[in-house]
Each structure stands twice: as structure tokens, then as C-alpha cells.
Amino acid sequence: VGAMTATLTVTAGTGTLPAADVIVEHSHDKSTWATLGSFTQATGATSEVKTFGPIRRYIRGKATIGGTSPKFTFTLAADLDVSYV
């Protein structure tokens, strides 16, 4: 139980019609994953901050890249406010 603030920073997106869909997933057992939330589709340089919660014990980011010869440079960073008993 807790919350997290995640920042997606895309510094470059190239190719023909490049698109990056980034989501945050969470799990209680590292086996069964569920979507916690998503960011606005990136088509070039952008930055977005979102808060998600409540969160399960395990968290990961997932990116789906599309377009013709797409290339993206990005970071996904998070600050967690979590307590487990």
C-alpha cells in the first residue's frame, strides 16, 4: 500500500511517425502484472509527471514503440511512498 510519483522524460524521438506508449505496471508476486497507469503518448521530446496509487509491492515500467524506424531516448524515474506490514 502506498503511492508513487513517476516522471517520464523523453529527450528525443525520431523516425517517421514515432510513437512511444509508456505504462507503469504493478504486481503482488512478480508474476501477475496489472496496469497501474499510463502516460500521454510521446511523439518527440516531452516530460510528464504523474502520481499513481495505491500500488502493489512490485513495480515496473513498460514501453511500446511504434512508427517507421522509430528511436527514442527516455528515462522513467519514480519516488515511492510505500509502507508494508
Side-chain angles (χ1 to χ4, degrees), residues 1 8-9 15 20 32 34-35 38 43 52 61 74:
V1 176
L8 173 65
T9 305
T32 306
T35 300
S38 61
T43 57
F52 303 107
F74 68 92

Side-chain angles (χ1 to χ4, degrees), residues 6 11 13-14 20-21 27 33 39 42 48 51 64-66 74 79 82:
T11 55
T14 61
D21 294 301
S27 173
W33 294 90
F39 291 90
E48 186 175 3
T51 299
T64 302
I65 308 297
F74 68 92
D79 291 317
V82 181

Side-chain angles (χ1 to χ4, degrees), residues 31-63:
S31 178
T32 306
W33 294 90
T35 300
L36 179 60
S38 61
F39 291 90
T40 303
Q41 184 179 70
T43 57
T46 187
S47 182
E48 186 175 3
V49 178
K50 290 193 127 183
T51 299
F52 303 107
I55 59 175
R56 297 179 186 153
R57 184 171 186 151
Y58 301 100
I59 302 163
R60 69 181 182 187
K62 185 176 179 182

Side-chain angles (χ1 to χ4, degrees), residues 12-20 41-44 64-72:
T14 61
T16 303
L17 299 174
Q41 184 179 70
T43 57
T64 302
I65 308 297
T68 303
S69 302
K71 292 184 181 179
F72 280 90

